[in-house]
Amino acid sequence: LVWDFLLVGRGWLRGCALTALRRGTTTTLPLATILLLRVPCFLSSPPALQLPRTLFPRFSAPLSIIRTRGCSLLSQSAAMGGAKRPAGARGDAGAAAESATKGDGVKKPRAASKKADKKPATAPPSRDPEAGAQKWLLKSEPDEYSWDHLKGERDSTGFWDGVRNHQAKNILKSMKIGDQAFFYHSSCKVPGIVGIAEVCSEAVPDHTALDVGHKHFDAKSDPAKPTWVGLHVKTVRQLKRQVTLTELKTHKDGALSNLTLLRVPRLSCQPVSKLEWDFIVSLAEQDSA
């Protein structure tokens, strides 16, 4: 055992010495290390190898394996530990994240997060040319712009502005002239659908995003390439009664299980399927419970 430990130690000292030679720090090596490197390889001579085998024949094979692998691994680790790092290399945990996009110049994919696995639930639906007008839902706070405000506009037509969500903006761009939308009162005591409006223009740049004095001003919006859009809508008719959010939620496990309003309520512009539209209209025609 003593002989084998000496062999392992000699391999480790050799690796340290080689590392020091590469780094030009041989003067700082202990004298004993230099002497061990200079003396003949006594420990590897046949008599020295036969002695532990004679004393411990049962462990001769395992000790030989330990001696061979131990010397090799220790020499490699000592050499690698003293090797110079490339310029800009970091030894902290941030190097792992940096290597995801640097190193070979190719951006490597990172582990997908749970959020990345989720698909957008409110992507604008593809339009069917034969399906005719599509249905939507537009949300507005009644204190700021209510159904009565829209009816009070000239020709009962107003400009739908103030959308500052990219997903809602893309939905606005998907709307076409002739499409209809539920007018929904939000952020109020009794939120719900109060009327039906009709889209009467294509999406155009929202001028309120460029108006410094307007509450919806966006300093990041470029006048040459506006970020936000709006469109004109007009009233069609007021529902016989308001269909409240509470009433809609009672059908979340039935006909309205896929209604975007119940799944992603934060969006101010949302698509509505033909079946959902017809069902909500039928609710408005019924007497309230």
Side-chain angles (χ1 to χ4, degrees):
L1 290 173
V2 174
W3 295 106
D4 286 274
F5 282 122
L6 288 175
L7 284 174
V8 173
R10 186 175 64 86
W12 179 78
L13 289 173
R14 180 184 297 174
C16 291
L18 292 175
T19 300
L21 287 172
R22 291 195 185 101
R23 300 174 63 178
T25 59
T26 54
T27 56
T28 62
L29 285 176
L31 180 61
T33 303
I34 300 176
L35 291 175
L36 282 174
L37 292 173
R38 298 294 183 182
V39 298
C41 297
F42 165 78
L43 295 176
S44 61
S45 61
L49 292 177
Q50 291 297 331
L51 183 59
R53 294 176 185 174
T54 303
L55 296 176
F56 306 100
R58 184 177 178 182
F59 302 99
S60 60
L63 289 175
S64 299
I65 296 174
I66 293 173
R67 180 175 58 251
T68 304
R69 294 184 180 179
C71 293
S72 177
L73 291 174
L74 287 172
S75 299
Q76 292 178 8
S77 62
M80 291 176 63
K84 291 184 178 180
R85 293 176 181 173
R90 290 159 39 186
D92 55 2
E98 187 179 66
S99 63
T101 54
K102 296 182 180 180
D104 54 3
V106 179
K107 189 173 183 179
K108 300 178 182 179
R110 295 182 179 179
S113 62
K114 293 182 179 180
K115 292 184 179 180
D117 295 335
K118 294 182 179 180
K119 296 181 180 180
T122 55
S126 56
R127 298 186 68 94
D128 184 359
E130 298 180 359
Q134 291 194 358
K135 311 299 182 181
W136 312 90
L137 184 143
L138 299 174
K139 297 172 62 177
S140 179
E141 298 178 8
D143 292 340
E144 183 175 348
Y145 196 80
S146 67
W147 174 260
D148 291 333
H149 287 136
L150 180 60
K151 287 198 304 181
E153 298 274 12
R154 183 178 180 180
D155 298 328
S156 298
T157 302
F159 186 71
W160 201 268
D161 56 25
V163 174
R164 297 296 180 267
N165 177 281
H166 289 283
Q167 199 170 11
K169 175 194 70 176
N170 293 333
I171 293 175
L172 276 181
K173 289 182 175 181
S174 301
M175 296 183 182
K176 303 297 181 183
I177 298 175
D179 288 355
Q180 292 188 340
F182 285 131
F183 195 108
Y184 181 91
H185 281 169
S186 65
S187 301
C188 57
K189 187 175 182 180
V190 184
I193 301 172
V194 296
I196 297 176
E198 182 178 322
V199 179
C200 51
S201 77
E202 301 287 339
V204 295
D206 185 355
H207 60 277
T208 63
L210 306 175
D211 185 357
V212 180
H214 200 278
K215 62 181 299 183
H216 294 146
F217 171 70
D218 182 9
K220 296 181 180 180
S221 184
D222 184 4
K225 191 177 180 181
T227 304
W228 308 109
V229 298
L231 44 74
H232 290 86
V233 297
K234 64 180 180 180
T235 60
V236 175
R237 67 181 178 90
Q238 187 171 347
L239 295 181
K240 182 179 178 180
R241 68 175 183 88
Q242 180 183 9
V243 181
T244 65
L245 175 62
T246 302
E247 184 178 358
L248 294 173
K249 287 182 177 180
T250 61
H251 302 280
K252 64 180 180 179
D253 295 327
L256 302 181
S257 60
N258 294 322
L259 184 66
T260 303
L261 178 65
L262 303 181
R263 294 186 296 111
V264 193
R266 62 182 179 80
L267 283 179
S268 60
C269 306
Q270 305 175 1
V272 179
S273 69
K274 181 67 167 55
L275 294 177
E276 294 167 346
W277 179 277
D278 292 341
F279 182 80
I280 294 173
V281 171
S282 68
L283 290 178
E285 296 300 322
Q286 300 173 8
D287 294 333
S288 60

